[in-house]
Amino acid sequence: MKKTLILCSGLSGSGKSYFIEHYLIPRTFHKLVSATTRPMRAGETNGREYYFCGEDDIKSMPLATHLWVNEAFWTPGKPKWIYGVPEFELRNNLSKNLVYDVIQPKYARQLINWFLANKLFPEYNFKTIYFLPPKNNFDIASKRANMPDDAAVRHANTCDPHDFLDAGLDIDFIAKCSAAETIFSPRLTAFLSQISATR
């Protein structure tokens, strides 16, 4: 039976992590862990939220996706905030349903391209979810920013239907998800029910 790879894209604070934790992980999905060169935030653990590493380490690490999120604000002497899903993270979890949490659809496209290049496409169904931004998205993203340039990086990373078109991706499902208000498109509700039924 085919496994499922769900690609969750939406602005910072749009509910992707809440959805994954409360609706996918209980349905036995593995959230892909990215490597990053950015500093560890309070409460984070290496290998759980991210694999934290230096720039030299990530340059030598085979990555399925590659994001330099503060490139627009970077100047010599500043650290580069680079993210990417290591190939070992994928290969170690290929027997599972997978979910990738990333703001911009173009990086979801990079992950699909990795599956295609490695001839793994027949083994997985790919589904994309677009998370609608909450009305107070700017406030949510700003409150989460706790490092230099953090707020600017969060606001510079866009996600709307145009970004899906630019990445060559269809939007399979739409969601608006938070503890206060969780709304799924009927097709997403049916899809989640189907996954539960086939566990």
Side-chain angles (χ1 to χ4, degrees):
M1 182 180 295
K2 279 192 174 185
K3 297 295 183 181
T4 299
L5 169 61
I6 294 182
L7 305 149
C8 296
S9 293
L11 292 176
S12 178
S14 61
K16 301 186 301 297
S17 296
Y18 185 89
F19 171 78
I20 291 167
E21 181 179 348
H22 290 86
Y23 293 96
L24 287 187
I25 290 177
R27 290 175 170 84
T28 63
F29 272 76
H30 172 75
K31 180 181 178 182
L32 292 170
V33 179
S34 294
T36 183
T37 59
R38 74 148 172 80
M40 190 184 299
R41 295 189 178 103
E44 291 182 328
T45 301
N46 187 38
R48 185 180 65 189
E49 285 81 14
Y50 295 96
Y51 299 109
F52 294 95
C53 57
E55 287 183 27
D56 289 340
D57 295 324
I58 207 166
K59 284 178 183 177
S60 62
M61 186 182 298
L63 298 173
T65 65
H66 188 278
L67 305 68
W68 179 6
V69 299
N70 68 337
E71 183 176 10
F73 316 103
W74 183 82
T75 55
K78 281 189 173 183
K80 297 178 180 179
W81 293 1
I82 300 170
Y83 293 74
V85 178
E87 290 192 3
F88 72 78
E89 169 72 4
L90 284 159
R91 296 191 186 281
N92 289 345
N93 293 288
L94 282 177
S95 62
K96 305 170 185 174
N97 290 318
L98 304 172
V99 56
Y100 183 37
D101 174 356
V102 67
I103 291 176
Q104 292 186 301
K106 64 183 179 181
Y107 301 117
R109 165 52 68 184
Q110 287 183 4
L111 188 59
I112 290 176
N113 288 345
W114 184 88
F115 272 80
L116 292 171
N118 286 276
K119 297 181 171 56
L120 294 167
F121 180 79
E123 299 175 26
Y124 273 85
N125 288 315
F126 301 114
K127 297 294 181 182
T128 60
I129 305 178
Y130 171 44
F131 287 80
L132 294 171
K135 293 178 181 178
N136 61 338
N137 177 260
F138 188 87
D139 293 336
I140 293 173
S142 296
K143 287 177 182 177
R144 292 182 174 190
N146 58 7
M147 294 186 295
D149 294 335
D150 203 356
V153 167
R154 289 176 186 272
H155 294 304
N157 279 268
T158 62
C159 184
D160 62 30
H162 297 282
D163 295 311
F164 282 88
L165 284 174
D166 290 343
L169 294 176
D170 290 325
I171 297 173
D172 293 303
F173 308 113
I174 296 175
K176 186 176 182 181
C177 195
S178 69
E181 182 183 38
T182 298
I183 303 173
F184 298 150
S185 63
R187 291 179 61 250
L188 178 53
T189 300
F191 178 70
L192 293 175
S193 298
Q194 181 183 20
I195 290 174
S196 295
T198 56
R199 279 167 52 184

